[in-house]
Amino acid sequence: NSLTGQIPSEMWFQMRGIRNLFLTGNSITGVIPRELGLLTVLSSISMRNNSLTGSIPSEAGLCTNLQNMDLGDNSLVGSIPSAVALMPLVYLNLSENTITGSIPTELSLLELDELSLDGNLLTGSIPTEMGLIANDGLQDEQLHFLALARNSLTGPIPSEVALLTRLTSLALSDNSLTGRIPSEVALLSLLTTLALSDNSLVGLIPSEVALLSSMSSMDVTSNPGICGLPPLGSDPVILGLPFPPCYSPAPPPPPSPLPPPSPRPPPPPPPPPPKV
């Protein structure tokens, strides 16, 4: 398609009974209006690869049947509203925008299968509560794909990522993360791709992680502080070799029992409905 211009506000009123809205790959401009909250039976919305501006309205939280939201590849600004936790989302893609602020802890209330926030301007640390996303024992409702690359995130990689036991891909490249690679990552027995390049990580790569049998690619290039010889047999998997010798020969500590997870935050209050 080649749709252009803004969606007229009256059309949002007319679409109140719609279940699926796919407007991907057009040249739609303007903001996402508050009237989105009127689409209470909406199950899927994709407006990826348009020219949308403005912020995500908190009224989106009124879409209480919305499971799939794809707003990637636009020019959205502002922070991620905590009201997204009021939707039963399993797929959330906000990648390749100019969204700012921190990652809201309320995302831990969701039962996401995929979360893509890469290519934005997010700051702050990775919340430890991320380990609680769909951590309810239902294996089919646990996070498989987590992309936070190409932001401005700081601080260490939280060991609580090991609670995401069904994770197959973890992308944290091109941030400002510090500290060691936590050995608890080795508990992710299904992990195939680990992207950690272009950060400020230090120390030895834990042998338990480097030798993870499921791993097919581990990218640690452009982390000047990564050092030492990788364990025998891990060479085909690790990108970024060779590393300089470590000043201290002491290996990183073995995995320790995970601390009890932080309690989930309370759900945010629902936003007021838009005026009809």
Side-chain angles (χ1 to χ4, degrees):
N1 295 322
S2 56
L3 300 175
T4 59
Q6 301 184 36
I7 299 176
S9 57
E10 58 269 18
M11 281 192 64
W12 293 95
F13 289 95
Q14 297 166 4
M15 292 190 293
R16 279 182 286 183
I18 201 167
R19 294 184 180 274
N20 300 292
L21 179 60
F22 299 110
L23 297 171
T24 300
N26 286 284
S27 299
I28 298 171
T29 57
V31 301
I32 301 171
R34 296 175 56 195
E35 285 79 10
L36 174 64
L38 295 171
L39 309 186
T40 54
V41 299
L42 189 66
S43 174
S44 296
I45 182 170
S46 177
M47 300 183 74
R48 180 169 49 86
N49 195 17
N50 279 283
S51 299
L52 296 171
T53 54
S55 58
I56 302 168
S58 60
E59 286 79 7
L62 297 170
C63 299
T64 51
N65 287 292
L66 190 59
Q67 294 185 309
N68 302 288
M69 175 181 273
D70 189 348
L71 302 176
D73 293 279
N74 280 286
S75 298
L76 298 173
V77 298
S79 58
I80 302 170
S82 59
V84 296
L86 298 172
M87 298 180 281
L89 290 171
V90 295
Y91 175 83
L92 178 60
N93 178 17
L94 303 178
S95 63
E96 306 302 334
N97 281 284
T98 50
I99 295 172
T100 55
S102 58
I103 299 172
T105 58
E106 287 85 359
L107 290 179
S108 64
L109 298 169
L110 296 172
E111 296 183 353
L112 289 166
D113 181 70
E114 292 189 25
L115 176 60
S116 299
L117 304 178
D118 47 311
N120 280 287
L121 302 173
L122 295 170
T123 55
S125 58
I126 300 172
T128 58
E129 292 86 353
M130 294 291 281
L132 297 172
I133 294 178
N135 188 25
D136 52 11
L138 300 176
Q139 292 188 354
D140 291 336
E141 297 180 0
Q142 291 187 355
L143 195 65
H144 289 73
F145 182 90
L146 177 58
L148 303 177
R150 302 188 310 284
N151 280 286
S152 298
L153 299 172
T154 56
I157 301 170
S159 58
E160 285 81 0
V161 296
L163 295 169
L164 302 171
T165 54
R166 307 298 293 177
L167 204 63
T168 59
S169 178
L170 178 59
L172 304 177
S173 296
D174 203 0
N175 280 287
S176 298
L177 300 174
T178 55
R180 292 177 178 269
I181 300 171
S183 52
E184 288 83 2
V185 172
L187 299 173
L188 300 174
S189 59
L190 300 178
L191 193 66
T192 60
T193 304
L194 180 60
L196 302 176
S197 63
D198 294 281
N199 280 289
S200 298
L201 300 171
V202 299
L204 284 165
I205 297 174
S207 57
E208 303 95 334
V209 177
L211 295 174
L212 197 57
S213 61
S214 60
M215 189 84 72
S216 60
S217 175
M218 178 179 179
D219 190 353
V220 292
T221 55
S222 300
N223 281 281
I226 296 288
C227 60
L229 293 172
L232 223 59
S234 64
D235 296 25
V237 171
I238 299 176
L239 304 177
L241 294 170
F243 305 125
C246 293
Y247 289 107
S248 169
S256 56
L258 286 172
S262 307
R264 283 188 171 91
K275 295 180 181 178
V276 180

